[in-house]
């Protein structure tokens, strides 16, 4: 885990000139205070990308892409944040060292350590007397004690504070505890994230625990599985469950079984099919596919034998196609998971399934009752497939799919090719497929608009304007989480705002785009009465708060009255709210 000291990041960001950097990739022209250019992140025809040399940020008014100089490089060149900082550091003569420094190393080793500690607690509880029923449940599901130990399964307590209390008695910093993903932080304190769940530790490739998946034991719990959130150790879209144990076998067998769940993985592995992997905590991603490709190009999709599994198979299949892998589908018997299948019929059944595995197209065709479809429906079905494969880069894969459709549906291959070409042309003129360009985030409701105007004014480069807002605003009026966080960052800034560094305080891409949007937006004109605008926004937000309070107080009142309880105080509160709302003309 490479990390750069925050001071160095600041130095590089400060040294970089965003207009110079972006100009290396795009033609920028000056327009007013800003520069504009053709946006590289969507199929832009008019210049929609604005770059502010003053604020050191950029923003696209069409697709919503936005950020600072680091985000531009990570997204344009598809490099990591660390590499972006290094690259700019080299350009501006700043030495960027990855922290081998003790403090940082200590932080990460403590994070790993905490996961190891938690796994031991979970494991110990599983093998204690109080969890005998869970052990017998796992044994009934066919897991051997050795397997349970090998995968280090455990169980979390039914309480809310069991793990946190134990952890507090150890030597972990608040930062490590809060960023581990093992706990949830609320206004009332820090609580265990996982309760009464069978715990599956998730390992990185060197076999260290970096996260957990938890399967509930409570029948009424709606979330059957709960996973650690993304943390500094765990990036869901990168991690394949079990790869530290299976990669050797995958290389040797030159093939891999891709399954959906932890239990599927463990059962196959236990049955001797060791070349297996599962995506953990999320559906398969492009990055998973790139990982798989490092090991093998032969992928057997072995998902659940139900409708959800069928849909997931098709989705994963096309993702593999796009990544340059031609998957084969192992048809799992209806109503079964690979987990049940291998337990009931043994590894041979899976191996036979692999021998008679079918192409994705065949699978897709067999999942529909093609004979029952009208010719219009058949044609639509073919169009859907062509739509999905039109932008696959690998022509060998594309052609093999066409051949497959042609054989199965008895459509002339040439005709298919023509239709594919038309689809490709359509997608080119449309730029990309519609779903690839993400819509910019808009704060469209009145309440959201009022919040975003106030935060924009709080981000004004004129300290006097900021002061006017600061005097009138209460942070509770801002309810949109991103805007609230931004407001909290801006409120204490009395001097110049470092816009570009604010962007780096938001980890998620979507959030950074929203923030770039808010920071970039021009303020209302000087001749507008700013005070009036601020007052209006605050009135809008306050009235919403008041109305909500009024509603819930009245609801409570009715409840108490029904129970025949004392209501004097509440009545006074309701009356008071009524007066206030009346004064504001909101009744
Ligand atoms: Zn754009």
């Amino acid at each position: 885990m490479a990390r750069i000291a925050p001071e160095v990041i600041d130095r590089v960001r400060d040294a970089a000139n965003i207009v110079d950097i972006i100009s290396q990739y795009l033609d920028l022209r000056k327009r007013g205070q800003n520069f504009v250019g053709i946006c590289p992140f969507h199929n832009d025809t008019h210049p929609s990308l604005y770059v502010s040399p003053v604020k050191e940020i950029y923003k696209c008014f069409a697709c919503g892409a936005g950020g600072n100089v680091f985000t531009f490089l990570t997204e344009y060149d598809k490099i990591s944040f660390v590499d972006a900082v290094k690259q700019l550091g080299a350009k501006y003569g700043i030495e960027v060292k990855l922290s081998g420094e003790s403090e940082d190393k200590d932080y990460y080793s403590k994070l790993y350590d905490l996961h190891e500690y938690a796994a031991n607690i979970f494991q110990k509880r599983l093998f204690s007397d109080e969890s005998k029923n869970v052990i017998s449940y796992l044994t009934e599901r066919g897991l051997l004690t050795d397997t349970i130990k090998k995968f280090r399964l455990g169980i979390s307590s039914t309480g809310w504070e069991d793990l946190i209390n134990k952890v507090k008695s150890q030597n972990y910093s608040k930062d490590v505890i809060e960023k581990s993903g093992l706990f949830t932080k609320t206004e009332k304190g820090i609580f265990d994230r996982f309760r009464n769940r069978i715990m599956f530790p998730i390992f990185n490739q060197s076999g260290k625990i970096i996260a957990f998946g938890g399967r509930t034991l409570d029948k009424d719990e709606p979330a059957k599985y709960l996973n650690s959130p993304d943390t500094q150790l765990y990036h869901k879209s990168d991690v394949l469950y079990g790869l530290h144990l299976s990669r050797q076998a995958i290389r040797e067998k030159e093939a891999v079984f891709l399954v959906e769940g932890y239990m599927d993985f463990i059962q196959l592995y236990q049955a001797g099919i060791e070349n297996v992997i599962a995506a953990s905590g999320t559906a398969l991603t492009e990055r998973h596919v790139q990982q798989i490709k490092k090991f093998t190009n032969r992928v057997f999709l072995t998902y659940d034998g139900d409708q959800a599994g069928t849909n997931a198979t098709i989705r994963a299949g096309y993702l593999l196609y796009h990544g340059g892998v031609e998957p084969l589908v192992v048809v799992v018997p209806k109503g079964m998971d690979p987990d049940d299948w291998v337990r009931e019929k043994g590894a041979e059944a899976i191996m036979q399934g692999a021998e008679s595995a079918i192409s994705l197209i065949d699978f897709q065709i067999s999942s529909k009752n093609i004979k029952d479809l009208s010719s219009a429906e058949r044609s639509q079905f073919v169009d859907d497939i062509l739509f999905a494969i039109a932008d696959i880069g690998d022509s060998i894969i594309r052609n093999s799919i066409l051949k497959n459709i042609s054989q199965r549906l008895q459509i002339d291959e040439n005709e298919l090719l023509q239709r594919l070409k038309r689809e490709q042309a359509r997608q080119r003129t449309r730029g990309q497929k519609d779903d690839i360009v993400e819509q910019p985030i808009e704060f469209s409701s009145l309440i959201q608009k009022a919040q975003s105007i106030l935060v924009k004014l709080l981000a004004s480069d004129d300290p006097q304007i900021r002061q006017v807002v600061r005097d009138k605003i209460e942070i509770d009026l801002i309810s949109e989480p991103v805007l609230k966080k931004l407001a909290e960052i801006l409120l204490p800034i009395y001097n110049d705002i470092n816009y570009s560094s604010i962007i780096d305080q938001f980890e998620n891409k979507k959030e950074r785009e929203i923030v770039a949007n808010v920071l970039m937006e021009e303020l209302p004109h000087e001749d507008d009465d700013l005070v009036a605008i601020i007052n209006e926004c605050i009135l809008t937000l306050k009235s919403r708060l008041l109305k909500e309070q009024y509603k819930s107080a009245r609801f409570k009142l009715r409840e108490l009255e029904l129970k025949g309880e004392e209501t004097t105080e509440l009545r006074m509160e309701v009356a008071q709210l009524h007066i206030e709302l009346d004064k504001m003309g909101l009744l």
Side-chain angles (χ1 to χ4, degrees), residues 39 41-42 60 63:
C39 172
F41 303 112
H42 78 280
C60 172
C63 73

Side-chain angles (χ1 to χ4, degrees), residues 236-449:
K236 288 187 173 82
S237 52
D238 286 337
V239 176
L240 289 162
Y241 178 72
L243 190 57
H244 67 299
L245 292 175
S246 62
R247 62 181 167 181
Q248 194 57 28
I250 297 171
R251 284 217 165 100
E252 280 166 17
K253 302 264 159 58
E254 295 177 340
V256 66
F257 288 88
L258 177 57
V259 295
E260 282 181 280
Y262 307 121
M263 278 303 265
D264 298 324
F265 180 106
I266 296 175
Q267 294 278 13
L268 259 67
Y269 193 92
Q270 179 181 275
I273 301 174
E274 293 184 357
N275 52 330
V276 55
I277 39 167
S280 82
T282 168
L284 194 74
T285 68
E286 268 172 51
R287 299 171 67 111
H288 288 138
V289 174
Q290 293 314 316
Q291 290 252 28
I292 295 171
K293 265 179 73 177
K294 287 186 202 161
F295 295 92
T296 179
N297 268 320
R298 255 171 92 73
V299 178
F300 291 105
L301 275 166
T302 317
Y303 282 12
D304 296 353
D306 57 14
Q307 192 53 47
T310 300
N311 297 343
T313 302
I314 292 170
R315 188 192 159 278
Y318 280 106
L319 211 60
L320 285 157
Y321 273 148
H322 278 93
V325 177
E326 231 181 319
L328 287 166
V329 181
V330 176
V331 182
V332 176
K334 264 216 163 59
M336 273 192 177
D337 303 343
D339 166 11
D340 313 319
W341 197 24
V342 73
R343 197 166 20 134
E344 286 179 23
K345 309 278 178 187
E348 309 78 54
I350 307 265
M351 295 316 288
Q352 272 165 20
E355 267 167 47
S356 50
I358 58 178
S359 75
L360 185 68
I361 300 295
D362 280 345
F363 178 77
Q364 211 176 343
I365 289 172
S366 67
S367 75
K368 290 209 169 216
N369 251 333
I370 286 294
K371 279 185 210 124
D372 299 342
L373 296 182
S374 69
S375 58
E377 284 168 332
R378 271 166 83 108
S379 180
Q380 183 59 49
F381 178 65
V382 173
D383 281 343
D384 288 346
I385 296 178
L386 295 177
F387 175 79
I389 67 171
D391 61 345
I392 289 178
D394 189 330
S395 61
I396 298 176
I397 291 185
R398 242 174 19 229
N399 292 339
S400 124
I401 294 172
L402 288 187
K403 197 176 211 130
N404 206 197
I405 305 175
S406 153
Q407 283 166 352
R408 286 298 304 269
L409 298 178
Q410 270 129 43
I411 304 173
D412 181 54
E413 223 180 304
N414 263 323
E415 191 202 319
L416 283 176
L417 194 61
Q418 294 314 316
R419 277 168 80 171
L420 178 68
K421 281 188 173 150
R422 277 201 298 276
E423 180 56 41
Q424 286 171 325
R426 215 187 339 252
Q427 289 187 11
R428 262 197 302 276
T429 50
R430 231 185 289 144
Q432 304 256 306
K433 272 188 255 174
D434 301 335
D435 58 352
I436 289 179
V437 177
E438 284 184 48
Q439 289 305 307
I441 295 213
E442 276 179 51
F443 289 119
S444 49
S445 77
L446 197 63
I447 301 293
Q448 290 170 324
K449 270 188 193 148

Side-chain angles (χ1 to χ4, degrees), residues 38-44 48-49 59-65 437:
I38 300 282
C39 172
F41 303 112
H42 78 280
N43 187 41
D44 200 6
S48 314
L49 188 85
K59 184 210 153 175
C60 172
F61 281 86
C63 73
V437 177

